[in-house]
């Protein structure tokens, strides 16, 4: 059965939150969005494989990887992750999406797996548009303004039905059991007397879709602003504070204030700041600057998780590696 009305439907795991150079406490960028047995990875910086293990994400899950652009801090971990999956005997196929240069890059990395890969890997050179659509979740790439071809990603989850109404189901003669699960999953069922019951007969109105937007690396730009409209969660890079606005413009990044201004003007529910420069090790300055503009901002830290329920409420957890 799908989630109940307020069950957790999406888990966002931050494997790495450091921009450009990893530090003692922060890995290169990588995020995994977990839903319906899928691990959807957004970027794969150096040493993502260890973080993946620490987070206990499971090497043989259904999985796709989306790479925002070909800068090393977003892609250097792919070779290690593919090697790890092969050594651990992954079987399920893996799809990787990103700029066209990713195709020879993955091939070169595969050549370093000396015992050969144990699973099928398919790499797609992408344009803006839908990349992935399964289990009520869709991923769309949109072009952003960085240095060279770079994308952000929009993930939209639409629950197949509204809340299941057991009273109504009983009234229509549907016995409690697997048929209830099918109806709640948006499938019609046939009763033993031949009568067909449709999901809309026993469920309420569909809730608003959940939307998670990941900026990748970018200057403030209209495509991000537009895509972020009404987002449940905007995960935005925030490389610098405004003190280094000139560096942000020159290197194709955002300040914390710019990220917060986009969150505010786009009506975002929660802003998560990530990919901040190693010069801000604990990120306090980044968070303070963003909160002055948009109070519903939090700072991503390595192995932090955000759990979303079907109505878009979020709960934040920090993983303690000692336990
Ligand atoms: Zn970067
Ligand atoms: Zn970059």
């Amino acid at each position: 059965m799908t989630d109940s009305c307020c069950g957790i439907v999406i888990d966002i795991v931050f494997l790495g939150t450091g921009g450009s150079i990893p530090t003692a406490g922060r890995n290169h960028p990588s995020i995994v969005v977990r839903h319906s047995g899928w691990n959807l990875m957004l970027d794969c910086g150096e040493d993502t494989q260890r973080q993946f293990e620490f987070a206990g994400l499971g090497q043989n899950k259904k999985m796709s990887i989306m790479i925002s652009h070909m800068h090393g801090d977003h892609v250097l971990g792919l070779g290690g992750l593919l090697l790890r999956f092969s050594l651990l005997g992954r079987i399920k196929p893996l799809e990787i999406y990103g700029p066209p240069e990713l195709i020879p890059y993955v091939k070169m990395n595969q050549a370093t797996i000396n015992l050969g890969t144990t699973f099928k890997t398919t790499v797609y050179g992408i344009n803006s548009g839908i990349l992935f659509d399964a289990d009520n979740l869709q991923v769309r790439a949109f072009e952003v303004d960085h240095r060279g071809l770079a994308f952000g990603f929009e993930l939209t989850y639409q629950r197949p039905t509204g809340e299941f109404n057991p009273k109504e189901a009983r009234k229509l003669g549907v016995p409690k059991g697997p048929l209830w699960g099918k109806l709640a999953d948006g499938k019609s069922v046939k009763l033993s007397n031949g009568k067909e019951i449709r999901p809309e007969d026993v469920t309420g109105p569909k809730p608003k879709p959940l939307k998670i937007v990941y900026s990748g690396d970018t200057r403030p730009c209209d495509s991000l602003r537009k895509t972020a409209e009404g987002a449940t969660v905007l995960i935005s890079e925030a490389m610098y504070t405004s003190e280094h606005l000139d560096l942000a413009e020159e290197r194709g990044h955002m300040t914390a204030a710019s990220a917060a201004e986009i969150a505010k003007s786009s009506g975002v529910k929660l802003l998560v700041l990530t990919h901040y420069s190693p010069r801000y090790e604990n990120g306090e300055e980044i968070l303070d600057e963003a909160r002055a503009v948009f109070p519903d901002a939090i700072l991503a830290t390595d192995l932090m998780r955000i759990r979303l329920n079907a109505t878009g409420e979020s709960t934040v957890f920090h993983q303690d590696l000692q336990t």
Side-chain angles (χ1 to χ4, degrees):
M1 195 195 286
T2 333
D3 54 278
S4 64
C5 149
C6 297
I8 299 304
V9 288
I10 291 179
D11 206 2
I12 308 170
V13 186
F14 291 82
L15 297 185
T17 58
S20 66
I21 301 174
T23 64
R26 291 193 291 125
N27 220 68
H28 265 168
S30 182
I31 299 164
V32 174
V33 176
R34 311 190 87 199
H35 163 71
S36 238
W38 282 94
N39 280 333
L40 298 175
M41 180 176 279
L42 309 176
D43 284 331
C44 186
E46 188 180 346
D47 221 8
T48 291
Q49 60 163 315
R50 291 183 82 227
Q51 299 292 89
F52 193 89
E53 181 66 23
F54 293 150
L57 300 182
Q59 52 82 22
N60 203 27
K61 299 271 186 197
K62 294 179 285 180
M63 186 165 179
S64 288
I65 302 177
M66 286 88 188
I67 299 294
S68 64
H69 64 299
M70 291 303 291
H71 287 168
D73 52 336
H74 296 256
V75 79
L76 282 172
L78 264 181
L81 194 70
L82 295 178
L83 175 61
R84 178 182 204 92
F85 284 172
S86 276
L87 293 175
L88 294 176
R90 179 183 172 88
I91 296 164
K92 289 205 170 78
L94 179 71
E95 286 84 40
I96 310 178
Y97 304 84
E101 298 86 349
L102 189 65
I103 298 171
Y105 179 81
V106 171
K107 218 168 242 175
M108 196 184 72
N109 275 283
Q110 283 175 312
T112 67
I113 303 172
N114 58 2
L115 293 175
T117 44
T118 56
F119 54 95
K120 186 171 186 268
T121 304
T122 314
V123 194
Y124 299 94
I126 63 168
N127 291 310
S128 298
I130 307 288
L131 307 181
F132 174 96
D133 192 351
D135 294 323
N136 311 310
L137 191 101
Q138 205 174 64
V139 182
R140 184 178 72 84
F142 58 98
E143 211 172 312
V144 291
D145 177 17
H146 187 41
R147 286 174 281 133
L149 183 60
F151 297 96
F153 299 112
E154 174 194 47
L155 293 83
T156 309
Y157 167 73
Q158 174 65 73
R159 197 167 181 266
T161 64
E163 196 174 355
F164 184 73
N165 184 340
K167 214 170 146 191
E168 198 56 36
R170 280 198 188 95
K171 211 169 102 189
L172 291 171
V174 188
K176 189 176 176 181
L179 294 186
W180 284 23
K182 279 192 178 164
L183 285 162
D185 274 342
K187 295 176 190 106
S188 294
V189 300
K190 215 166 217 172
L191 302 184
S192 51
N193 61 9
K195 188 175 158 194
E196 187 178 275
I197 309 290
R198 297 165 307 160
E200 53 270 37
D201 298 331
V202 292
T203 56
K206 280 186 196 179
K208 202 177 146 208
L210 301 183
K211 182 156 89 164
I212 299 162
V213 177
Y214 170 53
S215 69
D217 282 9
T218 184
R219 297 179 181 91
C221 60
D222 286 345
S223 60
L224 176 61
R225 219 175 280 277
K226 193 162 178 287
T227 307
E229 264 169 32
T232 318
V233 181
L234 168 61
I235 303 167
S236 177
E237 74 127 297
M239 188 68 161
Y240 304 106
T241 57
S242 295
E243 186 192 355
H244 297 295
L245 181 62
D246 53 339
L247 278 184
E249 280 168 0
E250 182 192 321
R251 297 179 183 172
H253 288 293
M254 273 205 270
T255 63
S258 315
E261 181 268 314
I262 289 177
K264 189 178 173 184
S265 66
S266 301
V268 164
K269 198 165 175 180
L270 177 70
L271 170 65
V272 185
L273 303 154
T274 190
H275 194 290
Y276 39 103
S277 159
R279 75 186 73 202
Y280 312 108
E281 181 54 51
N282 66 19
E284 260 172 41
E285 307 95 311
I286 293 285
L287 185 60
D288 288 348
E289 180 171 302
R291 279 190 172 162
V293 179
F294 186 77
D296 293 323
I298 61 171
L299 196 69
T301 53
D302 281 24
L303 300 177
M304 181 180 98
R305 286 169 190 250
I306 299 176
R307 294 198 167 138
L308 292 179
N309 72 11
T311 56
E313 281 155 5
S314 55
T315 317
V316 179
F317 296 88
H318 294 273
Q319 183 174 338
D320 182 357
L321 286 180
Q322 305 308 311
T323 56

